[in-house]
Amino acid sequence: MKSTTDQKADVSTEQKIKDAARIVFMKKGYAATRTRDIAEEAGINLALLNYYFRSKQKLFEIIMMETLSRFFNSVISVFNDENTTLESKVRELASRYIDTLIREPEIPTFILSELRSNPDMLLTKLPVKQVLSKSVFFRQHQELIAAGKITEVSPVHFLVNMMGLIIFPFLAKPLIMGGTNLKAEEFKNLMLERKKLIPAWIKILMHTK
């Protein structure tokens, strides 16, 4: 039986490997990443990495699901809040995700590129359909339509427009910065401004009365 010290060492080493894998996978993608790259990033030998994680595929699945779960669960908590209005939810999502993507700008590209290679992963591993279709967010949208306060009848358009306004600038960051000569701090400030602008734009797009 392992001692408490050994167990703590296992957790520490395992987390070190996962942190390194996250960095390398987000930088290179799954196909271009070698287990040796992850071992070097973690500062350990390849044999130790293989001891904790038997394959690159297994390690990637763990990192991918942790990233997806963190990203998705953040949406769920906002979507299913009974105590906030739809308008408040849009403000919260814009603020929360812009702050997250400023801290971790690689997330959108990583998720989209890997889901393109394995599109069933999100739907099979996470209850996306059930949560979204039965969310308070969608229910409130339908209630506003019934009350004549929103003329855009599709909650999917509502969601896609909102998430596109939040995420696309981070996907297009190199193009935006290169085409406008923006420096990193200027780009960050531009994104922070969008925390207030996106809710206003969404209100106009959805013809909210």
Side-chain angles (χ1 to χ4, degrees):
M1 185 173 181
K2 289 186 178 181
S3 68
T4 302
T5 301
D6 289 338
Q7 290 173 348
K8 287 181 178 178
D10 279 350
V11 172
S12 176
T13 302
E14 184 175 316
Q15 189 59 51
K16 182 189 294 186
I17 293 170
K18 286 165 62 177
D19 290 343
R22 185 173 291 106
I23 290 170
V24 178
F25 280 135
M26 286 193 179
K27 185 185 300 181
K28 293 187 172 184
Y30 175 77
T33 295
R34 304 173 303 163
T35 51
R36 187 174 301 280
D37 298 328
I38 298 171
E40 290 174 357
E41 181 69 32
I44 62 172
N45 61 53
L46 188 57
L48 189 58
L49 186 149
N50 290 331
Y51 170 78
Y52 282 95
F53 299 96
R54 288 174 295 177
S55 68
K56 183 179 79 167
Q57 176 66 29
K58 181 67 175 177
L59 184 52
F60 176 77
E61 287 178 1
I62 292 171
I63 299 303
M64 188 63 171
M65 287 313 304
E66 285 185 356
T67 304
L68 285 171
S69 295
R70 184 156 46 90
F71 202 75
F72 187 65
N73 289 337
S74 184
V75 170
I76 294 173
S77 65
V78 176
F79 266 37
N80 286 323
D81 188 344
E82 293 277 4
N83 299 312
T84 58
T85 64
L86 186 68
E87 192 171 336
S88 296
K89 286 178 173 61
V90 172
R91 286 198 300 270
E92 177 64 21
L93 284 166
S95 179
R96 183 176 297 195
Y97 274 114
I98 286 173
D99 286 342
T100 297
L101 296 177
I102 285 173
R103 290 194 307 270
E104 302 180 80
E106 303 89 357
I107 286 179
T109 303
F110 173 66
I111 291 176
L112 289 177
S113 63
E114 299 304 336
L115 282 181
R116 191 176 297 116
S117 302
N118 189 1
D120 294 330
M121 180 180 289
L122 183 59
L123 292 174
T124 56
K125 299 289 187 180
L126 297 172
V128 178
K129 290 182 180 178
Q130 182 179 358
V131 171
L132 293 183
S133 62
K134 296 181 179 180
S135 68
V136 174
F137 181 96
F138 274 28
R139 190 191 75 211
Q140 289 174 330
H141 181 270
Q142 295 302 303
E143 289 171 350
L144 288 172
I145 290 173
K149 294 184 177 180
I150 292 181
T151 56
E152 171 52 71
V153 297
S154 171
V156 177
H157 277 314
F158 192 107
L159 179 61
V160 169
N161 284 335
M162 178 178 62
M163 297 309 290
L165 285 168
I166 294 170
I167 295 173
F168 178 76
F170 291 93
L171 291 171
K173 181 179 178 180
L175 183 64
I176 294 171
M177 291 183 66
T180 59
N181 294 320
L182 283 178
K183 294 181 172 59
E185 191 63 26
E186 292 173 320
F187 179 84
K188 176 182 175 180
N189 290 336
L190 192 72
M191 296 304 100
L192 290 173
E193 289 175 9
R194 293 176 69 83
K195 290 164 70 170
K196 292 182 178 179
L197 292 172
I198 288 172
W201 292 335
I202 287 293
K203 192 172 183 178
I204 295 169
L205 284 170
M206 296 299 109
H207 311 293
T208 308
K209 299 177 182 178

